[in-house]
Amino acid sequence: MSEAEAAVWNRLEALEKRTLRELFAADPARVDTLSSHLAIPGGAILFDWSKTHLDADHLAAFEDLAEAAGFGGKRDALLSGEIVNVSEGRAAEHTAQRGFGSSDSVAVAAALHARMHMLVDAIHSGALGEVEHLIHIGIGGSALGPALALDALTREDGALVDVHVVSNIDGCALEVAMDCCDPATTLIAVASKTFTTTETMTNAMSALAWLREGGVDDPYGRVIALTASPDKAVEWGVDETRVLPFQESVGGRYSLWSSIGFPVALALGWEGFSEMLEGAAAFDQHFADTDGRANLALRAAFADQYYAHLRGCQTRACFAYDERLALLPSYLQQLEMESNGKSVTADGAPVSGPTAPITWGGVGTDAQHAVFQLLHQGTNLVPVDFIAAIRAGDMLDPAHHRILLMNCFAQGAALMAGRPSDDGARAYPGDRPSATILLDDVTPASFGALIAFHEHRTFANAVLMGINPFDQFGVELGKEIAKSIEQGGVAFDPSTAALLKAAGL
Ligand code: F6P
């Protein structure tokens, strides 16, 4: 950490810690200052950070921290396709998929999208025969984004093709999908940036066997590869015409916008997929053009840094008060924990403070009846994000959605206000922070903007901590050890050896 950054942290530590009640009393315009609408195609999103402990002094100090950390230059580097993933020597070009990047990368992304568009339209028009189902096989970033987007965006109007996302190596996962599909009318998408991931390649082989046993003469003819390693896909047996490549510079957990989003485009139609890209681009534009506290991703990162560093919060929770976004917490877990769960800075030095908090969460109101006890009365302070939509996703009695939204807002109010009692068991300490993101509706555009907000928030946090959010070396050791178990002849610690023996491995 530079001297300038350390000086800002000292300043932040010295600031008075006022309660939320005191902050609202001292500044009646607080809601106006800390909540803003972002216009997106067809609507708007309200980002309300007023129930956090950020005040004018914190905001000013964090703006200085951002400047000392070189935020403006690093943002420009990201958005212009410079090498920001320094440990792997490459750019991070997810925004190029949405039109923000070097002109070369934006052109390549557009050409690859055009190729995907043609295949999507060809499938819809019957060029690959009757297609009723798609089994999308991938894991991590090659599955979580598509699964979330499909769940969020196909509930109301249905899907043009019935898609099942399979990730786990546990055969039970693939069996569930196969049970829902007819081999004669099923395509298989093999989604893997590297085209080497054990889980994906094993599931893909089993899916091919299932097609063959189901009477499909040429199972490889039913496969579409979504990958940054097209040569490997061709070598594996996929015809080049059904390989949809994406750029190596697009990270796995940032890849929904590339050909990894193929199942979303197939299910929604190309127009829906384009709208998702446009929504993300609206957030990119805001992120590129807006400085300091007005930048919504940076403002959120200020609060994230405040709670991690100054209040010792080890976790942050996200509760979607919308069944359509039920998978959002799982998606954010990979995005935030795989990006920022690091112990060294971008130049390899040990970090001087906490990095990514543990991201967790669930869906409201279910979570209220399960985990909210701890949020209200536990000894851990957990900053919470609430995410809801004004328009209901269901056609039932509007009472459902009204009660859902009332509960969402009530929880934020209760966490903040608390309620004293002489009976400790019944006392609510209050002063517990939350932020609320309120969409007009869950549409492809609002969904795209919501995800882009989280991507840029993750990046802004990384800049403030000085770390590289685009590598993930921490996932490799376990994979290597699993391989060495398979190969045999390796001596393990007594506990692991006993487990292997007990399982007959
Ligand atoms: O092991 C972690 C990881 O590399 C993630 O970063 C990635 O999203 C996932 O595995 C899947 O990788 P691939 O798309 O190469 O199969």
Side-chain angles (χ1 to χ4, degrees):
M1 185 187 299
S2 69
E3 275 179 28
E5 289 165 278
V8 182
W9 277 115
N10 288 338
R11 220 169 100 203
L12 279 161
E13 269 159 27
L15 289 176
E16 190 190 347
K17 287 193 171 65
R18 290 190 288 172
T19 64
L20 293 169
R21 188 190 292 264
E22 288 166 347
L23 291 169
F24 273 98
D27 178 10
R30 185 170 174 77
V31 176
D32 299 333
T33 319
L34 282 164
S35 71
S36 329
H37 279 96
L38 175 79
I40 56 160
I45 306 180
L46 175 62
F47 293 82
D48 178 3
W49 254 248
S50 65
K51 292 197 197 74
T52 68
H53 290 84
L54 297 177
D55 65 14
D57 292 338
H58 292 113
L59 290 165
F62 274 118
E63 283 175 345
D64 290 346
L65 181 68
E67 195 174 330
F71 175 77
K74 288 181 179 162
R75 173 184 56 186
D76 294 347
L78 171 77
L79 297 177
S80 59
E82 285 176 36
I83 291 179
V84 289
N85 179 356
V86 284
S87 61
E88 297 180 294
R90 58 181 179 235
E93 300 197 287
H94 43 290
T95 60
Q97 315 302 302
R98 294 131 32 173
F100 288 80
S102 72
S103 47
D104 283 357
S105 293
V106 170
V108 172
L112 294 174
H113 276 156
R115 182 180 167 91
M116 170 158 74
H117 186 173
M118 266 164 47
L119 186 58
V120 166
D121 284 354
I123 293 170
H124 285 153
S125 61
L128 296 190
E130 191 189 349
V131 174
E132 283 182 12
H133 314 278
L134 175 78
I135 299 182
H136 174 96
I137 297 173
I139 197 164
S142 295
L144 289 163
L148 167 63
L150 288 160
D151 196 36
L153 302 173
T154 62
R155 285 177 184 240
E156 283 177 86
D157 298 330
L160 296 172
V161 171
D162 167 48
V163 183
H164 299 263
V165 177
V166 174
S167 51
N168 202 349
I169 185 66
D170 184 337
C172 297
L174 182 58
E175 273 179 356
V176 169
M178 294 187 309
D179 285 348
C180 299
C181 301
D182 172 0
T185 57
T186 300
L187 294 178
I188 309 291
V190 182
S192 175
K193 179 172 176 182
T194 54
F195 229 76
T196 57
T197 302
T198 305
E199 291 90 333
T200 300
M201 302 323 295
T202 307
N203 276 326
M205 288 312 292
S206 296
L208 289 185
W210 170 76
L211 287 181
R212 199 173 292 113
E213 283 156 23
V216 176
D217 294 338
D218 172 22
Y220 283 96
R222 309 296 287 165
V223 175
I224 291 140
L226 320 172
T227 184
S229 309
D231 295 350
K232 287 212 180 76
V234 171
E235 205 178 298
W236 187 78
V238 188
D239 188 83
E240 198 270 332
T241 54
R242 277 174 285 98
V243 176
L244 296 177
F246 64 94
Q247 292 133 297
E248 183 64 36
S249 54
V250 177
R253 55 193 170 276
Y254 299 88
S255 62
L256 172 62
W257 325 100
S258 70
S259 63
I260 293 294
F262 166 77
V264 183
L266 195 67
L268 296 184
W270 191 260
E271 207 182 314
F273 185 73
S274 298
E275 281 167 23
M276 188 179 86
L277 297 178
E278 282 160 24
F283 199 91
D284 292 336
Q285 189 75 61
H286 163 81
F287 185 67
D289 291 350
T290 316
D291 287 319
R293 68 194 73 179
N295 183 311
L296 294 162
L298 192 56
R299 180 194 294 173
F302 290 166
D304 296 340
Q305 292 300 306
Y306 173 86
Y307 289 112
H309 286 252
L310 300 175
R311 297 284 185 126
C313 300
Q314 294 192 330
T315 84
R316 186 166 68 73
C318 157
F319 294 100
Y321 272 68
D322 198 300
E323 199 67 24
R324 292 169 289 185
L325 298 172
L327 297 179
L328 183 63
S330 316
Y331 176 84
L332 294 181
Q333 282 185 323
Q334 188 199 17
L335 176 63
E336 297 177 355
M337 293 164 73
E338 197 168 80
S339 295
N340 287 346
K342 310 277 168 69
S343 298
V344 294
T345 59
D347 49 20
V351 292
S352 53
T355 58
I358 294 157
T359 307
W360 63 285
V363 68
T365 60
D366 291 2
Q368 289 177 204
H369 300 272
V371 297
F372 273 41
Q373 163 65 36
L374 180 148
L375 298 181
H376 287 285
Q377 290 188 313
T379 51
N380 295 285
L381 183 68
V382 183
V384 173
D385 284 1
F386 293 108
I387 300 171
I390 297 171
R391 209 191 128 261
D394 66 275
M395 301 294 284
L396 301 183
D397 183 336
H400 285 269
H401 199 62
R402 223 174 35 242
I403 296 170
L404 179 72
L405 289 185
M406 286 185 314
N407 269 276
C408 176
F409 303 146
Q411 290 298 329
L415 285 166
M416 177 164 84
R419 188 168 66 196
S421 168
D422 294 339
D423 175 356
R426 290 181 169 77
Y428 295 79
D431 197 35
R432 302 198 167 197
S434 64
T436 305
I437 301 174
L438 187 59
L439 315 175
D440 285 350
D441 193 2
V442 179
T443 62
S446 70
F447 176 83
L450 179 69
I451 300 303
F453 159 75
H454 282 100
E455 288 178 346
H456 291 313
R457 173 191 195 164
T458 303
F459 174 75
N461 270 301
V463 171
L464 297 177
M465 296 182 291
I467 66 179
N468 170 12
F470 298 117
D471 63 14
Q472 61 283 320
F473 292 109
V475 301
E476 298 304 332
L477 180 59
K479 293 184 198 173
E480 281 168 30
I481 293 183
K483 283 218 172 81
S484 65
I485 291 176
E486 191 165 28
Q487 282 153 7
V490 182
F492 289 101
D493 64 84
S495 164
T496 308
L499 288 167
L500 290 169
K501 190 164 170 228
L505 292 172

